[in-house]
Amino acid sequence: QLVESGGGSVQTGGSLRLSCAASGLVIRWSIMGWFRQAPGKEREGVASIAPVRGGWSVSYGDSVKGRFTISQDNAKNTLYLQMNSLNTEDTAMYYCAAGPAGTWDRASILPTSYTYWGQGTQVTVS
């Protein structure tokens, strides 16, 4: 189970940190990601982190590079998304996702890489 929190309303230029508490899986063994979907638009990959040989791989969507940071607290089994310099284009429902456990070649923001999805948390930037 994946439970997102931390969404809300914020002004342009502001920041939010989203959290995703996982149960029933160990996030440090799995590929984890954040996605978002705005009304009338397709689901968009935002950020991903995956275990790879020798460490971790991280990937970001082009629209959030340099502004968003994905991280995880393995002791809390929780995934985070720090979002800075928010603008109105970031308004969307944000979803946490988890894929199969294992060693990956690289992180992936493709939805097909993921098996489990949270219910989402709304982020509104005005």
Side-chain angles (χ1 to χ4, degrees):
Q1 184 181 13
L2 302 172
V3 180
E4 302 95 336
S5 61
S9 296
V10 64
Q11 292 186 335
T12 297
S15 298
L16 282 174
R17 189 176 80 156
L18 305 183
S19 299
C20 172
S23 59
L25 61 93
V26 180
I27 67 169
R28 69 177 183 272
W29 296 345
S30 305
I31 185 170
M32 301 294 298
W34 287 99
F35 293 78
R36 66 186 183 185
Q37 189 166 18
K41 294 186 177 181
E42 293 186 356
R43 187 165 292 191
E44 175 189 8
V46 174
S48 171
I49 183 168
V52 300
R53 286 186 176 85
W56 300 91
S57 172
V58 176
S59 179
Y60 295 96
D62 288 342
S63 62
V64 306
K65 284 180 181 176
R67 300 188 298 123
F68 290 12
T69 303
I70 189 171
S71 63
Q72 59 190 45
D73 185 327
N74 294 329
K76 295 181 179 179
N77 212 35
T78 299
L79 183 73
Y80 301 101
L81 183 69
Q82 178 66 44
M83 306 186 296
N84 299 327
S85 301
L86 287 161
N87 58 62
T88 56
E89 296 295 310
D90 297 315
T91 295
M93 184 71 79
Y94 283 72
Y95 299 90
C96 172
T103 301
W104 290 71
D105 290 334
R106 63 183 65 84
S108 169
I109 55 172
L110 295 176
T112 52
S113 298
Y114 298 85
T115 307
Y116 307 105
W117 295 82
Q119 294 300 307
T121 185
Q122 178 68 38
V123 172
T124 302
V125 185
S126 61

